[in-house]
Amino acid sequence: MAENNKHDNFDFPPVGRKNNKMQKFGGYWTYIIIAAILIGYQFFSMPTNPERISWQEFKNEILAKGEVKDIVIIRNGGKANIFLKPEKIETHDKLVAKGFNKKSTGPQYYVPFGTLEQFEKNLEDAQKEYPEAADIHIDYGDEYNWWADVISILLPLALFIGIWVFFMRRMSKNAGGGAGGGIFNVGKSKAKLFDKESNIKITFKDVAGLAEAKQEVEEIVSFLKSPDKYTKLGGKIPKGALLVGPPGTGKTLMAKAMAGEANVPFFSMSGSDFVEMFVGVGASRVRDLFKQAKEKAPCIIFIDEIDAIGRARGRNPNMGANDERENTLNQLLTEMDGFETNSGVIILAATNRADILDSALLRAGRFDRQIYVDLPELKDREEIFKVHLKPLKLASDIDYGFLAKQTPGFSGADIANVANEAALIAARKNKSAVEKQDFLDAIDRIVGGLENRSKVIKPSEKKAIAYHEAGHATVSWLLQHAHPLLKVTIVPRGKALGAAWYLPQERQITTKDQLLDQMCSVLGGRAAEEIVFGEISTGAQNDLERATKQAYAMVSIYGMSDKIGMLSYYDSSGQSDYSFTKPYSEKTAEVIDQEVKDMVSAAYERAKQLLSEHKDQHRQVAELLIEREVIFSDDLERILGERPWTEDGDTIQPEEL
Ligand code: ADP
């Protein structure tokens, strides 16, 4: 299919498109044949056109000789049709040449006239003049061109229908190139079907890490391949599985790999594909999808971004809830209940917002299994790097483990991006292979944005930025739980004028001390400005925002303040009634505000104190930064001394030192 060439392997024409084309083809041909028959009939049944002749000629040559049998005066046509006596026709060479003969019905001639009265008078005179013409039968008639009438009715109608069809096509095309387009197909599901001919090349080998998730999915594939193995012992095949995890962690990739591995048909569509501007379309698409799937069973249905339709239904129907979406969801729930467990249709869905999904969707019997696809850990990242670096030409200094360490918090998609970005950077520098430094540059770029060395920065501003960043670096160096520092730079990047780069620790839980230390190092920049210049600037806006958010979270979510106590006002279900009102009293709100303020102030004071105690070192760091623009943890170690803690923030025991 030519269409496949344009797209990658996953863009197959939607199901049913081929059939539609066939139907359309047949439809067009019927119309063409009917039109041809009509035109042909007109053409063949038309009498031979009469010959034009002037009044004078008619009077002298034909009327005078008594050759005329009838005259029919066509009032609305401004002419008179002349019918000759049959035996006289063949004496007219002109007529014979035109194909007239004895049997032709006629008229054979017509005479145009100016006014009817004048013509009648002329005719009367001529009849009086020539006795041969006295017995001519004269009649009156009107001529109807029914063909013109038909066209005058049909043309506007055809035009109207044409415009209507054109707009309907455009509309359904804009809505995602539906199944074969066309207004009559809006209710059809837009699922793409992958089957044996589709030749999907992605397999589980391309999905790195995610061992548990992979195992679950592999199990589903094997259910479909040999259901007997499981049903023999009385087990039921699960109806559906929900892949949950942050964006870019490989949920779609996993589904594609499943399509590649399972040799069963695979329907893929996105949650938003169900919903259209027309009411009722979503539900009908769900029905159509399941109908198609049942016909092809055993098979897999994959719904990406299911939160688009699966969002929890509103409690208050008058609040402008999205009825169309709810109808679609209801239909999905009904369909999932409706088919037998052993019918061999398995539904796989992906979302990064499992918390907002309707609880009815999550109950056992619908999505029986929830598979968590989390951000990759160190080991997984190493694996993902291996997959994505395979197609690159690498220098010998590449260490996958090192790269994995440099990318905490990166998703699989981010890592794929790093690999690609590094290759581009190396190519820009005309290197023959991608080196370690290219990867580090790529990581910096992805974390911090593009370097912007051409930004004009005044020397006084540069000094302020340097002292600000040195403040962050110095404070975090001196705090036990702050993230280990990687480097500090005052090269503008993206929107930031400078940055201290940390290597965030991968923690499953974070203690209060750790959070407070982080807050303190975030405020180190503003503290440095105040101590060194006695003047504060707008440069700390982002720092203050982060500190404030963190403080509010600590007080109102994590229950880390004494005055508020062990209360958490966070609603993970997203279904609270508090969307417009606070779940606490005004008095509590005041206490929360005060607690947050105290917490941030205390952290700020601590940062200021640390900087005052190490004023000299702070100045050295800043000066070095002004000189070099980028400094690394080694430089800090030289100035501030070795940190007495391990990378994880644990105290190093004397024997380890
Ligand atoms: P999402 O979870 O948002 O559906 P995708 O599956 O679309 O994420 O992932 C986007 C891209 O990230 C993939 O095409 C792939 O290149 C890369 N990727 C993500 N996770 C992995 C992984 N575990 N192994 C290999 N590549 C991955």
Side-chain angles (χ1 to χ4, degrees):
M1 272 173 267
E3 265 189 272
N4 290 350
N5 300 338
K6 297 194 288 222
H7 306 292
D8 67 8
N9 280 325
F10 294 94
D11 264 339
F12 286 91
V15 186
R17 178 178 283 187
K18 215 170 169 185
N19 288 341
N20 268 318
K21 268 200 180 145
M22 298 277 287
Q23 275 167 13
K24 240 187 235 161
F25 187 69
Y28 285 142
W29 273 108
T30 322
Y31 294 131
I32 290 172
I33 289 170
I34 290 175
I37 290 174
L38 277 178
I39 292 170
Y41 176 75
Q42 266 291 306
F43 189 76
F44 287 112
S45 67
M46 204 120 77
T48 320
N49 281 337
E51 180 77 13
R52 188 180 197 271
I53 190 169
S54 72
W55 167 250
Q56 291 305 331
E57 216 178 329
F58 168 64
K59 191 175 107 178
N60 301 333
E61 308 265 326
I62 302 172
L63 200 72
K65 290 182 193 162
E67 291 179 354
V68 181
K69 184 167 157 259
D70 297 325
I71 295 179
V72 179
I73 298 170
I74 307 293
R75 279 171 300 205
N76 67 345
K79 65 177 184 182
N81 283 338
I82 314 297
F83 295 78
L84 298 185
K85 291 177 179 157
E87 67 277 11
K88 302 287 180 193
I89 292 174
E90 283 172 358
T91 61
H92 292 247
D93 294 346
K94 258 190 209 166
L95 294 183
V96 175
K98 261 193 139 182
F100 283 100
N101 57 28
K102 258 192 280 188
K103 286 177 199 146
S104 309
T105 44
Q108 290 81 15
Y109 287 105
Y110 73 93
V111 181
F113 56 77
T115 61
L116 182 60
E117 290 76 26
Q118 185 63 44
F119 180 75
E120 282 173 334
K121 192 168 172 301
N122 286 349
L123 192 60
E124 226 177 278
D125 293 349
Q127 278 182 311
K128 278 181 197 156
E129 193 178 331
Y130 304 110
E132 296 86 344
D135 61 342
I136 294 176
H137 175 246
I138 296 173
D139 199 358
Y140 290 86
D142 285 329
E143 215 165 52
Y144 282 108
N145 191 348
W146 68 270
W147 195 239
D149 283 356
V150 167
I151 285 185
S152 69
I153 294 169
L154 280 189
L155 202 68
L157 201 69
L159 211 67
F160 178 74
I161 293 176
I163 291 172
W164 185 66
V165 167
F166 175 75
F167 277 106
M168 282 308 176
R169 284 231 173 132
R170 288 271 301 252
M171 233 147 67
S172 52
K173 231 180 234 165
N174 288 349
I183 180 74
F184 303 112
N185 284 328
V186 292
K188 295 261 157 60
S189 101
K190 293 195 199 167
K192 291 173 192 149
L193 172 66
F194 308 101
D195 45 24
K196 279 177 205 120
E197 295 112 58
S198 309
N199 190 18
I200 294 170
K201 292 192 192 80
I202 293 185
T203 63
F204 284 134
K205 272 200 217 98
D206 299 297
V207 186
L210 307 176
E212 297 83 16
K214 221 156 50 174
Q215 192 189 342
E216 295 255 356
V217 175
E218 269 171 2
E219 208 171 270
I220 294 177
V221 171
S222 83
F223 277 142
L224 287 168
K225 279 186 175 163
S226 47
D228 298 349
K229 185 171 145 197
Y230 299 89
T231 50
K232 211 164 49 187
L233 303 175
K236 281 186 189 148
I237 294 177
K239 275 188 188 172
L242 188 66
L243 292 162
V244 184
T249 42
K251 299 182 293 295
T252 315
L253 186 74
M254 183 86 93
K256 287 175 180 175
M258 196 163 160
E261 294 271 340
N263 255 340
V264 297
F266 186 90
F267 292 89
S268 163
M269 77 187 283
S270 164
S272 57
D273 286 346
F274 286 106
V275 189
E276 189 83 62
M277 58 189 281
F278 308 110
V279 175
V281 167
S284 120
R285 284 191 179 156
V286 172
R287 271 194 299 275
D288 188 54
L289 175 66
F290 277 82
K291 195 171 135 244
Q292 286 184 31
K294 272 179 228 165
E295 280 164 12
K296 295 244 176 194
C299 69
I300 299 167
I301 296 176
F302 175 60
I303 305 173
D304 206 355
E305 316 287 356
I306 196 173
D307 40 311
I309 47 166
R311 205 175 280 253
R313 285 164 291 183
R315 235 174 269 167
N316 186 349
N318 298 329
M319 286 287 287
N322 186 343
D323 281 346
E324 171 61 1
R325 190 175 54 69
E326 291 189 2
N327 286 343
T328 312
L329 175 58
N330 284 337
Q331 187 63 41
L332 182 66
L333 297 176
T334 320
E335 289 289 345
M336 286 188 80
D337 270 345
F339 66 88
E340 297 295 310
T341 19
N342 291 338
S343 71
V345 180
I346 287 188
I347 303 161
L348 205 64
T351 178
N352 43 37
R353 299 290 314 273
D355 53 329
I356 60 163
L357 289 186
D358 200 283
S359 47
L361 200 55
L362 299 177
R363 77 148 164 78
R366 295 210 174 103
F367 287 109
D368 302 285
R369 297 183 169 202
Q370 292 195 24
I371 304 172
Y372 286 92
V373 183
D374 225 338
L375 284 175
E377 305 269 325
L378 187 71
K379 193 88 198 99
D380 292 340
R381 288 201 300 274
E382 198 174 325
E383 298 284 318
I384 299 175
F385 264 113
K386 275 184 196 155
V387 169
H388 287 285
L389 298 197
K390 211 179 275 166
L392 304 188
K393 224 169 149 197
L394 298 175
S396 53
D397 64 348
I398 303 295
D399 172 2
Y400 296 109
F402 171 77
L403 289 178
K405 267 197 196 137
Q406 302 303 308
T407 48
F410 276 43
S411 67
D414 291 332
I415 292 177
N417 199 5
V418 166
N420 190 43
E421 202 61 55
L424 296 183
I425 290 172
R428 206 174 301 144
K429 293 181 183 159
N430 295 323
K431 291 185 186 172
S432 57
V434 192
E435 293 165 9
K436 181 171 151 187
Q437 189 54 44
D438 302 322
F439 283 103
L440 293 178
D441 288 349
I443 293 169
D444 284 0
R445 183 176 168 165
I446 283 163
V447 175
L450 198 60
E451 271 192 7
N452 190 357
R453 282 185 187 269
S454 59
K455 205 174 210 159
V456 182
I457 291 176
K458 282 189 281 188
S460 61
E461 282 176 345
K462 191 170 173 182
K463 190 172 168 192
I465 298 166
Y467 273 90
H468 179 107
E469 297 305 333
H472 285 305
T474 312
V475 172
S476 60
W477 192 266
L478 298 169
L479 290 172
Q480 179 174 2
H481 300 297
H483 292 305
L485 195 84
L486 215 59
K487 65 177 181 183
V488 193
T489 131
I490 53 166
V491 178
R493 221 176 233 288
K495 275 192 174 167
L497 295 170
W501 299 74
Y502 301 94
L503 203 54
Q505 293 307 293
E506 291 173 58
R507 296 170 179 147
Q508 303 299 336
I509 48 169
T510 313
T511 64
K512 185 177 174 184
D513 280 351
Q514 287 166 345
L515 288 171
L516 286 176
D517 275 7
Q518 266 165 36
M519 196 185 295
C520 185
S521 74
V522 162
L523 293 169
R526 165 59 70 92
E529 285 177 36
E530 192 185 330
I531 288 178
V532 179
F533 304 110
E535 194 179 41
I536 52 178
S537 74
T538 57
Q541 178 258 330
N542 183 257
D543 299 339
L544 299 184
E545 187 185 328
R546 276 167 53 200
T548 312
K549 278 191 184 147
Q550 196 179 75
Y552 267 107
M554 287 171 72
V555 175
S556 63
I557 297 175
Y558 301 121
M560 286 182 178
S561 102
D562 296 335
K563 288 201 186 135
I564 295 297
M566 309 318 130
L567 297 181
S568 174
Y569 298 110
Y570 183 65
D571 175 36
S572 60
S573 68
Q575 297 189 32
S576 74
D577 288 330
Y578 310 131
S579 28
F580 297 108
T581 49
K582 295 191 193 82
Y584 38 75
S585 69
E586 282 304 317
K587 213 162 144 203
T588 314
E590 274 172 34
V591 180
I592 292 178
D593 289 342
Q594 194 55 46
E595 281 288 274
V596 166
K597 209 165 161 192
D598 291 350
M599 195 178 268
V600 176
S601 303
Y604 185 62
E605 288 306 320
R606 197 147 68 100
K608 273 204 316 198
Q609 197 192 338
L610 277 172
L611 285 177
S612 314
E613 283 167 13
H614 300 82
K615 211 168 179 173
D616 198 35
Q617 284 107 317
H618 174 222
R619 190 185 49 75
Q620 283 180 44
V621 174
E623 294 300 326
L624 190 66
L625 201 51
I626 294 173
E627 185 191 325
R628 291 213 214 138
E629 295 200 335
V630 185
I631 59 173
F632 295 91
S633 54
D634 314 352
D635 302 306
L636 280 154
E637 194 169 305
R638 219 167 6 86
I639 296 168
L640 288 155
E642 203 175 334
R643 291 179 88 209
W645 307 290
T646 63
E647 274 201 350
D648 300 334
D650 296 333
T651 313
I652 297 176
Q653 299 303 320
E655 58 268 23
E656 284 181 74
L657 270 172

